[in-house]
Amino acid sequence: MTLAEVLVVLDAVEKVGCRYWLEGGWGVDALLGYQSRPHRDLDVDIDGGYEDEVLEALATLGYVIETDWRPNRVELAAAGRGWVDVHPLALQVDGSARQRALDGGTHEFPSTYFTTGSLAGRPVPCFTIAAQRLFRRGYQPRPEDVHDLRRLDDLEGGAANR
């Protein structure tokens, strides 16, 4: 998933008026302000009220549903372009959000998890360092997770030294 393709996808999401936040590797890169490694996919959390519109907009770009675990997530693929992993959120009036879990429960995202980073000089909504760390718990870290966690360490170290 190239940076250029990420920006195409984000343009499509924005065009339907949907709020979104990046997580995963691109979310870490947004916090860094640059692409730090190759990415298989783009993990994007969206305002669940726009799920149908977002999926339709991605379909017009050639993305088709590959994995459908709704209401938790939908993964779409476009041959030769990459994958987009869409996570619908129920936004709350206090700025927090909830994501339905596969087991029927919910994942709670306090308002403090949401921030803004940048990609290619463009401001992009994403999740904070603390949230990105939390999302990488509960499973054996893959090499890309180890890379991302080290970049988060770099960010925290840099912030502590300012």
Side-chain angles (χ1 to χ4, degrees):
M1 188 79 172
T2 67
L3 175 57
E5 185 65 15
V6 167
L7 298 177
V8 166
V9 168
L10 297 183
D11 286 343
V13 173
E14 289 177 1
K15 189 172 182 180
V16 299
C18 182
R19 294 178 65 196
Y20 67 87
W21 298 266
L22 302 186
E23 66 169 275
W26 280 111
V28 171
D29 284 356
L31 291 170
L32 291 167
Y34 62 89
Q35 183 177 352
S36 68
R37 66 171 175 85
H39 299 275
R40 173 193 175 271
D41 64 359
L42 170 66
D43 293 291
V44 60
D45 292 40
I46 64 162
D47 176 344
Y50 288 84
E51 182 178 359
D52 291 340
E53 292 91 339
V54 167
L55 295 179
E56 183 177 315
L58 294 176
T60 65
L61 296 176
Y63 284 90
V64 295
I65 295 175
E66 189 173 86
T67 304
D68 190 342
W69 288 355
R70 283 182 264 191
N72 178 262
R73 64 183 273 263
V74 179
E75 186 174 56
L76 302 100
R81 294 170 69 186
W83 288 262
V84 179
D85 199 354
V86 176
H87 303 256
L89 303 179
L91 305 182
Q92 307 299 303
V93 272
D94 67 357
S96 67
R98 290 190 183 102
Q99 179 187 17
R100 302 266 307 268
L102 291 174
D103 65 6
T106 58
H107 303 290
E108 304 291 328
F109 298 175
S111 61
T112 56
Y113 277 13
F114 303 98
T115 192
T116 302
S118 67
L119 291 172
R122 171 182 172 167
V124 291
C126 60
F127 285 93
T128 63
I129 293 171
Q132 294 285 358
R133 285 192 183 286
L134 182 66
F135 298 159
R136 286 166 176 78
R137 291 190 187 149
Y139 64 91
Q140 183 64 37
R142 303 162 299 165
E144 55 268 32
D145 296 313
V146 171
H147 171 90
D148 291 347
L149 289 167
R150 287 185 179 145
R151 297 298 71 78
L152 294 173
D153 290 344
D154 294 344
L155 280 171
E156 287 182 319
N161 294 326
R162 284 189 207 146

